[in-house]
């Protein structure tokens, strides 16, 4: 592909001898030096990054800019195009809560949200701006608002902000009656916050030195945070801790979990000092969540129910064993979530990669389903702020339909459209085709593929197809709407989602068969989807784009090593590609919690050899690779910046082609890229300009 020859020689990372021995085998890691010895400090303050590492990353950024210099105008056009699909002066549908209704909105040109409220039933002229995100962000290279929660008496607002991208938050409290920002300040917080019903106390989670949420503290307004009371400590380095509150607001929840096991501790919201009690002690590979319903707990669990069931237990009884079944287990019908109201139980479930909402009356047990007509779509429940209501709010979208917010009356079955995502530059769903096809993996499994393209396009061998994949942690890829992808679709690309194993699109089994020793199924499924699109005439080898981020970036690396000839380009966003080394280092933030997903190569030789067989970094070899764009973030606590940097360095040293290989590292942000809603569009424009350049469609 000589037409892609770069204008100058790329930077070459120095190789330094570094040998690792595990289970009697030695492997070389010549780019291990790219990991800053004081990486924790650099993650929180990127200016502290070791100078030789900084110089290398900046050289890679300069090289990327040099290669794409000819696409500068295209990137600017794409940015304007992407921004033109965003309604700048926008707001959410207000959430009623007693005397007030709460909402967020953006001002014209604003990068960050305004947190607002007004008296229930009153107009916009009665708006109170509780927190001005644009003002708070002033002076920071990165800014993000995490949790933002008002007290039950509506007097206080507790909010969490991150100014580095490292997901280490500072919690502050504002008196909404006086407008005063209180002196209360809590550092190194995870960012989750719950109020006691007395409105004078919050609970929050604190990160340890390994950036893991480990402790829950109780803070009383006005007290010095140094004197806050420790409520809970998680001693298992493999477990995460987060906070919640039941829909009735009667109970506070401490939820601890890894990827396959969970445990819930409960306390009365009125008296948080009374202490938390464990509802059901953790059992390996048993997950559950709870809410309270009158004198009973409702428990969503996979105990003896791989795709989950809902049971009830008396509040004062033995919740671990004394259960009455409310919703039985049905194999292949996965219950994702439940949401309780005073008279109804709502559950979100899916079957064969299609979600549905089921409403159950608590008094009569009668159920009905909210119906939708499209072949593929995405649904999300909105918990709201009120418990004693018959109104359920949910969000609906599809590959062609912008997000719609509905209020559904569970008493009457009537639904009211409260908001539809507006695309200022214009969007007509009838201009596009969305469909679902099926590929077959080598073991015979049917793998769904969602497709989007223009109605006036007849896909063929010359059609570029961007095939997105993820396949990890049981996270499903919904067939929902994104305005960004139309910048490619309107230029003759097909956008596709491979619903591979490792997600839960076809039930929990779909997840189980795409993890640990079965991880190769994820990659085989994806390759089968790519081959099916070629065989079905949607595209041809060399016209496919493999795309994924984070764990989906690992998929990118693995399939490029295994079948590079299928692809004409690849984009890997903050890719998890140094799997073997990361899973062999328990000091890294996510390593112990990740062992149930990938295996523990420190203690388990079988896990070591399995990860070794697919880990993208170790399996780079002397072969041709397609043009590749890789992104990273210095402040990323999830996929540390050195993973993509090392991978790119090894690819440069070993690949046998002249195709462009570009690394773009955000020097002051983390896993999600730039914090502002418009700043992020520059990264999307970079990605799309790269692909349009590779496929010769820059006009």
């Amino acid at each position: 592909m000589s037409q892609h020859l770069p204008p100058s020689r790329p930077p070459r990372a120095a190789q330094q001898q570094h040998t690792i021995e595990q289970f009697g085998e030695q492997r070389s890691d010549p780019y291990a030096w790219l990991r800053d010895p004081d990486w924790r400090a650099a993650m929180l303050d990127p200016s502290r990054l070791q100078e030789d590492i900084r110089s290398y990353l900046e050289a890679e950024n300069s090289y990327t800019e040099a290669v794409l210099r000819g696409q500068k105008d295209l990137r600017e056009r794409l940015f304007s195009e992407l921004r033109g699909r965003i309604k700048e002066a926008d707001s959410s549908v207000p959430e009623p809560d007693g005397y007030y209704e709460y909402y967020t909105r953006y001002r014209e040109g604003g990068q960050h949200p305004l947190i607002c409220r007004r008296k229930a039933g009153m107009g916009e002229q009665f708006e109170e701006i509780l927190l001005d995100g644009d003002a708070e962000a002033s002076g920071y290279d990165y800014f993000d608002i995490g949790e933002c929660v008002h007290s039950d008496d509506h007097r206080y607002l507790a909010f969490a902000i991150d100014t580095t991208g490292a997901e280490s938050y500072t919690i502050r409290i504002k008196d909404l009656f006086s407008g005063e920002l209180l002196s209360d300040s809590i550092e190194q917080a995870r960012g989750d916050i719950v109020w006691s019903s007395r409105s004078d106390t919050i609970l929050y989670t604190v990160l340890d030195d390994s950036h893991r949420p480990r402790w829950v503290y109780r803070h009383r307004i006005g007290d010095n945070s140094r004197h806050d009371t420790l409520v809970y400590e998680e001693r298992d380095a493999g477990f995460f801790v987060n906070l919640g509150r039941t829909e009735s607001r009667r109970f506070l929840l401490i939820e601890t979990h890894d990827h396959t096991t969970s445990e819930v501790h409960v306390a009365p919201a009125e008296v948080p000092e009374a202490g938390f009690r464990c509802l059901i002690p953790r059992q390996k590979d048993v997950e559950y969540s709870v809410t309270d319903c009158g004198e009973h707990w409702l428990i969503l669990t996979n105990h003896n129910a791989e795709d989950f069931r809902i049971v009830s237990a008396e509040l004062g009884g033995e919740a671990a064993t004394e259960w009455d079944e409310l919703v039985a287990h049905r194999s292949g019908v996965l219950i994702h979530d439940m949401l309780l109201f005073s008279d109804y139980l709502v559950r979100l479930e899916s079957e064969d990669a299609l979600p549905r909402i089921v409403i159950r009356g608590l008094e009569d047990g009668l159920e009905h389903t909210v119906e939708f007509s499209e072949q593929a779509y995405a649904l999300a429940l909105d918990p709201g702020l009120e418990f004693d209501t018959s109104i359920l709010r949910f969000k609906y979208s599809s590959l062609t339909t912008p997000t719609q917010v509905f209020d559904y009356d569970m008493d009457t079955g009537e639904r009211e459209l409260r908001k539809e995502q507006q695309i200022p530059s214009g969007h007509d769903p009838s201009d596009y085709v969305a469909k679902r096809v099926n590929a077959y993996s080598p073991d015979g499994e049917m793998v769904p593929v969602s497709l989007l393209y223009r109605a006036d396009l007849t896909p063929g061998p010359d059609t570029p197809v961007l095939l997105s994949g993820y396949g990890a942690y049981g996270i499903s890829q919904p067939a929902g709407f994104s305005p960004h992808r139309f910048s490619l679709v309107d230029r003759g690309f097909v956008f596709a989602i491979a619903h591979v194993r490792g997600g839960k699109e076809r039930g929990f089994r779909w997840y189980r068969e795409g993890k640990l020793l079965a991880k190769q199924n994820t990659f085989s499924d994806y390759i089968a989807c790519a081959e099916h699109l070629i065989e079905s005439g949607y595209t041809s080898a060399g016209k496919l784009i493999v795309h994924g981020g984070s764990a989906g970036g690992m998929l990118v690396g693995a399939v490029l090593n295994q079948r590079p000839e299928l692809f004409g380009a690849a984009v890997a966003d903050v890719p998890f590609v140094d799997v073997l080394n990361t899973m062999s280092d328990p000091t890294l933030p996510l390593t112990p919690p990740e062992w149930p997903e990938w295996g523990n190569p420190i203690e388990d030789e079988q896990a070591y050899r399995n990860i070794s067989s697919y880990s993208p970094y170790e399996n780079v070899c002397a072969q041709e690779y397609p043009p590749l764009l890789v992104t990273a973030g210095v402040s990323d606590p999830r996929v540390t910046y050195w993973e993509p940097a090392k991978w790119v360095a090894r690819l440069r040293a070993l690949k046998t082609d002249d195709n462009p290989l570009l690394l773009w590292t955000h020097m002051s942000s983390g896993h999600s890229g730039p914090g502002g809603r418009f700043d992020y569009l520059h990264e999307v424009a970079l990605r799309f300009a790269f692909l349009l350049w590779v496929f010769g469609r820059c006009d």
Side-chain angles (χ1 to χ4, degrees):
M1 301 182 73
S2 58
Q3 69 268 31
H4 296 139
L5 284 173
S8 59
R9 293 183 61 83
R12 290 272 178 173
Q15 297 190 28
Q16 299 180 10
Q17 184 173 355
H18 183 80
T19 303
I20 303 165
E21 183 171 339
Q22 284 179 261
F23 295 105
E25 290 185 354
Q26 287 190 340
R27 67 180 186 275
S28 175
D29 187 2
Y31 305 106
W33 66 271
L34 285 168
R35 170 177 167 166
D36 193 310
D38 198 7
W39 60 268
R40 293 179 182 85
M43 182 176 66
L44 295 170
D45 181 2
S47 69
R48 298 179 63 176
L49 190 66
Q50 193 167 284
E51 188 56 39
D52 56 342
I53 299 172
R54 173 178 293 279
S55 295
Y56 171 70
L57 296 178
E58 289 178 342
E60 288 282 6
N61 284 353
S62 296
Y63 176 69
T64 296
E65 288 288 6
V67 171
L68 296 178
R69 186 175 294 123
Q71 281 65 56
K72 182 179 179 181
D73 290 344
L74 173 62
R75 287 167 65 181
E76 291 176 354
R77 291 201 310 272
L78 285 166
F79 174 79
S80 297
E81 193 175 289
L82 292 162
R83 185 165 177 170
R85 296 195 188 99
I86 295 176
K87 183 182 179 184
E88 297 202 8
D90 199 9
S91 65
S92 65
V93 180
E95 292 276 8
D97 185 16
Y99 295 112
Y100 291 96
E101 48 190 25
Y102 290 81
Y103 56 99
T104 61
R105 71 171 177 87
Y106 289 88
R107 56 169 61 94
E108 192 83 20
Q111 291 262 35
H112 301 279
L114 310 178
I115 311 302
C116 307
R117 75 178 179 191
R118 63 193 183 207
K119 290 285 182 67
M122 304 297 280
E124 296 179 359
Q125 66 270 28
F126 296 96
E127 175 182 270
E128 295 179 61
I129 297 177
L130 310 182
L131 187 69
D132 187 331
D134 290 321
E136 296 287 338
S138 179
Y140 294 109
D141 292 332
Y142 177 91
F143 182 83
D144 177 63
I145 300 175
E147 289 271 2
C148 194
V149 190
H150 63 271
S151 59
D152 287 22
D153 65 1
H154 304 281
R155 177 170 180 175
Y156 297 105
L157 183 76
F159 60 95
I161 57 173
D162 173 15
T163 57
T164 66
E167 300 174 35
S168 179
Y169 289 85
T170 298
I171 295 175
R172 302 297 307 273
I173 298 174
K174 185 177 180 180
D175 186 330
L176 301 179
F177 290 179
S178 69
E180 176 189 6
L181 184 64
L182 304 183
S183 60
D184 308 53
S185 182
I186 298 162
E187 306 290 334
Q188 205 174 334
R190 181 178 183 268
D192 51 345
I193 306 162
V194 292
W195 283 95
S196 75
S197 58
R198 293 199 313 253
S199 299
D200 64 352
T201 302
I202 63 169
L203 269 65
Y204 61 92
T205 309
V206 173
L207 305 172
D208 64 16
D209 290 339
S210 295
H211 209 77
R212 299 180 189 126
R214 180 176 176 184
W215 301 285
V216 176
Y217 281 89
R218 186 174 67 244
H219 173 79
R220 190 179 178 90
I221 292 177
D223 289 352
N224 190 311
S225 61
R226 290 179 296 178
H227 302 141
D228 287 352
T229 302
L230 176 64
V231 172
Y232 178 85
E233 179 179 5
E234 178 53 63
R235 299 183 183 277
D236 188 332
F239 268 57
F240 286 102
V241 181
N242 58 280
L243 301 173
R245 194 168 169 184
T246 61
E247 290 93 329
S248 72
R249 303 191 187 181
R250 292 167 60 196
F251 292 94
L252 305 175
L253 306 175
I254 297 175
E255 300 165 319
T256 68
H257 61 90
D258 62 13
H259 291 296
T260 63
T261 305
S262 62
E263 181 178 85
V264 179
H265 299 249
V266 301
E270 289 185 355
V271 194
E273 299 86 357
F276 283 78
R277 68 179 180 95
C278 178
L279 195 60
I280 304 173
R282 65 189 67 173
Q283 303 173 57
K284 189 177 186 300
D285 295 330
V286 173
E287 298 179 72
Y288 72 96
S289 59
V290 307
T291 191
D292 65 295
C293 179
E295 296 306 311
H296 291 81
W297 296 111
L298 296 188
I299 304 167
L300 174 63
T301 180
N302 66 346
H303 183 262
N304 294 331
E306 184 172 54
D307 287 316
F308 288 77
R309 58 181 173 145
I310 300 175
V311 300
S312 68
E314 292 185 9
L315 288 184
E318 182 54 56
T321 57
E322 298 176 358
W323 291 350
D324 293 319
E325 191 162 76
L326 204 64
V327 180
H329 172 255
R330 292 163 295 163
S331 181
V333 180
L334 178 66
I335 304 176
H336 295 273
D337 197 9
M338 65 177 180
L339 180 61
L340 187 69
F341 296 87
S342 57
D343 296 322
Y344 293 96
L345 173 64
V346 179
R347 66 181 187 267
L348 179 65
E349 61 185 32
S350 65
E351 184 175 15
D352 281 336
L354 277 179
R356 60 174 171 249
I357 295 172
V358 182
I359 315 292
R360 179 188 180 95
L362 292 175
E363 185 174 343
D364 56 20
L366 296 178
E367 294 188 350
H368 68 276
T369 301
V370 184
E371 300 290 342
F372 305 97
S373 60
E374 294 187 83
Q375 286 189 41
Y377 52 84
L379 286 175
L381 300 178
D382 186 340
L385 299 172
E386 292 192 323
F387 177 66
D388 188 12
T389 178
S390 65
I391 301 301
L392 166 69
R393 182 166 293 172
F394 64 84
K395 295 179 180 178
Y396 172 91
S397 73
S398 73
L399 292 173
T400 60
T401 305
T403 301
Q404 298 171 329
V405 180
F406 287 95
D407 279 354
Y408 180 83
D409 191 320
M410 295 179 284
D411 287 341
T412 66
E414 296 179 358
R415 72 180 81 177
E416 178 188 0
L417 178 62
R418 296 297 308 276
K419 180 183 177 181
E420 184 166 13
Q421 181 181 4
Q422 295 184 22
I423 310 299
S425 58
H427 174 78
D428 185 348
S430 66
D431 289 341
Y432 304 93
V433 172
K435 62 192 303 186
R436 173 81 43 92
V437 299
N438 295 304
Y440 288 88
S441 213
D443 63 357
E445 282 289 353
M446 182 181 72
V447 185
V449 185
S450 298
L451 299 173
L452 169 70
Y453 54 91
R454 285 193 61 86
D456 57 5
L457 173 72
T458 301
D462 291 330
T463 304
V465 175
L466 189 154
L467 183 59
S468 177
Y470 190 75
Y473 309 119
I475 297 173
S476 301
Q477 281 195 289
F481 187 82
S482 169
H484 303 332
R485 58 180 67 121
F486 291 94
S487 286
L488 291 181
V489 171
D490 285 343
R491 288 174 169 84
F493 284 63
V494 172
F495 173 81
I497 303 171
H499 301 283
V500 297
R501 276 175 282 187
K504 289 180 182 173
E505 282 91 338
R506 300 191 65 205
F508 195 90
R509 177 186 67 87
W510 207 242
Y511 171 40
R512 173 167 48 81
E513 293 183 0
K515 62 184 292 195
L516 296 172
L517 298 179
K519 189 61 201 170
Q520 178 57 40
N521 285 336
T522 301
F523 315 131
S524 297
D525 286 357
Y526 184 92
I527 291 167
C529 293
E531 291 177 330
H532 177 79
L533 294 175
I534 293 169
E535 293 164 3
S536 300
Y538 287 98
T539 188
S540 58
K543 295 294 184 179
L544 277 162
I545 302 154
V546 53
H547 173 242
S550 196
M554 179 186 63
L555 180 151
V556 173
V559 301
L560 285 179
N561 286 331
Q562 295 177 22
R563 295 293 303 277
E565 78 283 358
L566 290 176
F567 304 101
V571 176
D573 303 323
V574 290
F576 178 35
V577 284
D578 196 13
V579 187
L580 185 58
N581 287 319
T582 293
M583 288 297 101
S584 299
D585 185 350
T587 68
L588 292 173
L590 294 185
T591 294
E594 299 280 271
W595 287 331
E597 181 74 19
W598 316 106
N600 183 345
I602 302 172
E603 300 177 354
D604 184 343
E605 183 174 355
Q606 192 177 21
Y608 167 78
R609 300 199 181 282
N610 183 57
I611 295 172
S612 297
S613 72
Y614 66 77
S615 180
Y617 179 63
E618 276 73 25
N619 287 281
V620 171
C621 60
Q623 64 180 1
E624 291 190 359
Y625 287 86
L628 177 59
L629 173 65
V630 184
T631 65
V634 170
S635 293
D636 192 342
R638 299 172 184 254
V639 177
T640 47
Y641 73 86
W642 60 82
E643 292 206 26
K646 288 170 58 179
W647 182 46
V648 166
R650 179 165 270 179
L651 280 165
R652 278 238 172 80
L654 294 178
K655 73 188 189 81
T656 59
D657 58 82
D658 293 324
N659 292 326
L661 171 58
L662 307 180
L663 172 64
W664 179 261
T665 302
H666 294 284
M667 304 304 289
S668 59
S669 62
H671 196 64
S672 300
R677 60 172 178 157
F678 301 134
D679 289 343
Y680 173 71
L681 299 180
H682 288 291
E683 180 170 315
V684 180
L686 171 70
R687 183 188 308 152
F688 288 175
F690 170 77
L691 293 175
L692 291 168
W693 169 61
V694 166
F695 288 99
R697 299 193 176 208
C698 294
D699 295 336

